[in-house]
Amino acid sequence: TSITVEAWVYGESLESWDSVIAKSNGNWNRGYGIYYNAGTIRFFVSHYTQNMASINFSADKWHHVVGTYDGSNVKIYLDATEGTSDNYTGNINSNTGNSVYIAAGGGGGERWNGKIDEVKIYSDALSLSQIKKLFVDGAEKRGIAMSNN
């Protein structure tokens, strides 16, 4: 099982557990999601405290966030910079009955405080070069100056 979850996000007055996107149950121990916690943005598959990658996140500006899972590694990228990764081999523990929530966590709580744009879900894990291209294209569209990416 592979997946990529992508979005442009702008956080305002964020609190822990504010969720960008989730396809999970109310306990966040199924599916996948991207959420904010303690100064980081995180991507998980199958369980929010296991099989999770994170990267430092600053509010009050647009960021491109991408989470990938290739069947053996959970990764997160912020503005085309890779964060931590986590080894996980297995299927995404999902329930087809769970909805995809945008700007909310599994079950509809944990609301994102800010803006979210261009959410995309891919059925494979995008490469770093593909992620960089998506970042550059989106940054140019938004008039965002790029550094070393």
Side-chain angles (χ1 to χ4, degrees):
T1 304
S2 297
I3 193 167
T4 297
V5 180
E6 172 195 17
W8 280 90
V9 298
Y10 188 104
E12 303 168 351
S13 304
L14 294 174
E15 297 179 12
S16 288
W17 313 113
D18 284 1
S19 184
V20 173
I21 185 170
K23 180 174 174 47
S24 188
N25 60 11
N27 296 323
W28 293 19
N29 61 3
R30 297 192 166 285
Y32 56 84
I34 295 175
Y35 66 97
Y36 174 86
N37 190 22
T40 63
I41 194 114
R42 302 175 181 198
F43 173 65
F44 77 91
V45 295
S46 298
H47 197 283
Y48 75 102
T49 61
Q50 305 164 4
N51 323 320
M52 183 267 301
S54 66
I55 191 167
N56 289 338
F57 184 84
S58 59
D60 299 321
K61 67 179 188 174
W62 280 104
H63 291 285
H64 183 240
V65 62
V66 178
T68 66
Y69 175 60
D70 63 5
S72 59
N73 291 291
V74 179
K75 296 181 180 182
I76 193 164
Y77 302 85
L78 187 71
D79 301 335
T81 299
E82 186 174 348
T84 66
S85 63
D86 195 6
N87 296 328
Y88 171 65
T89 303
N91 292 326
I92 298 172
N93 183 7
S94 187
N95 179 340
T96 57
N98 292 338
S99 298
V100 174
Y101 292 93
I102 298 174
E110 299 84 24
R111 304 246 177 227
W112 180 257
N113 186 17
K115 302 169 195 156
I116 300 174
D117 195 18
E118 295 187 50
V119 174
K120 297 177 187 162
I121 301 170
Y122 303 84
S123 61
D124 58 348
L126 297 183
S127 68
L128 178 56
S129 63
Q130 291 171 309
I131 291 167
K132 283 184 177 183
K133 180 172 182 353
L134 292 168
F135 169 65
V136 168
D137 292 350
E140 287 175 356
K141 179 178 172 182
R142 287 169 177 76
I144 297 171
M146 293 171 288
S147 56
N148 299 340
N149 299 330

